[in-house]
Amino acid sequence: MNEACHTMDHGEVLNADKTEYPLFHAVLYGDKISTAKFSKRLSCAIKHLPLRVEFTYEYDTLKAIEKGVTKDPTLVLNGVIFLEGLVQSEEITQAFEALISEK
């Protein structure tokens, strides 16, 4: 599915056809409603960037606590807490642009 601005499915890869782009693994922690909102916002905010993101979801509160997650929703990227709370699209874009520039 390459439709822009949609709620990402578990296991879906954003920009999957761009195999030359680096692949990041994202785990969204939180309840189903907030993670769905966040994933849609995330897909809109970064679809134009040169990266691929594989989405998975974790709704288990105990697993979230074990990973150090304290806000709902939280995006853990490649094993590190990356964004917390239902942040605005502009903040998501800026965070990913900064990540790309570090590479």
Side-chain angles (χ1 to χ4, degrees):
M1 176 183 277
N2 281 334
E3 186 181 322
C5 300
H6 67 282
T7 301
M8 302 296 292
D9 292 326
H10 183 82
E12 185 176 350
V13 177
L14 183 67
N15 293 331
D17 58 327
K18 307 287 187 182
T19 57
E20 69 276 14
Y21 292 173
L23 177 64
F24 296 91
H25 298 280
V27 181
L28 286 170
Y29 288 89
D31 65 73
K32 290 184 181 186
I33 294 172
S34 65
T35 57
K37 286 180 185 178
F38 191 89
S39 77
K40 184 174 184 176
R41 194 173 288 180
L42 183 59
S43 72
C44 289
I46 66 170
K47 67 181 183 281
H48 66 284
L49 296 177
L51 52 81
R52 295 176 297 148
V53 179
E54 179 182 14
F55 286 79
T56 57
Y57 295 88
E58 183 55 68
Y59 306 117
D60 186 315
T61 304
L62 292 177
K63 288 182 182 178
I65 291 169
E66 288 173 3
K67 293 290 184 182
V69 171
T70 60
K71 291 188 180 175
D72 188 14
T74 292
L75 173 67
V76 174
L77 195 65
N78 289 347
V80 177
I81 293 176
F82 189 66
L83 293 168
E84 295 180 292
L86 196 55
V87 297
Q88 297 300 313
S89 295
E90 296 80 18
E91 187 177 340
I92 295 169
T93 303
Q94 291 170 355
F96 275 89
E97 287 173 341
L99 178 69
I100 292 169
S101 70
E102 290 174 5
K103 299 273 175 199

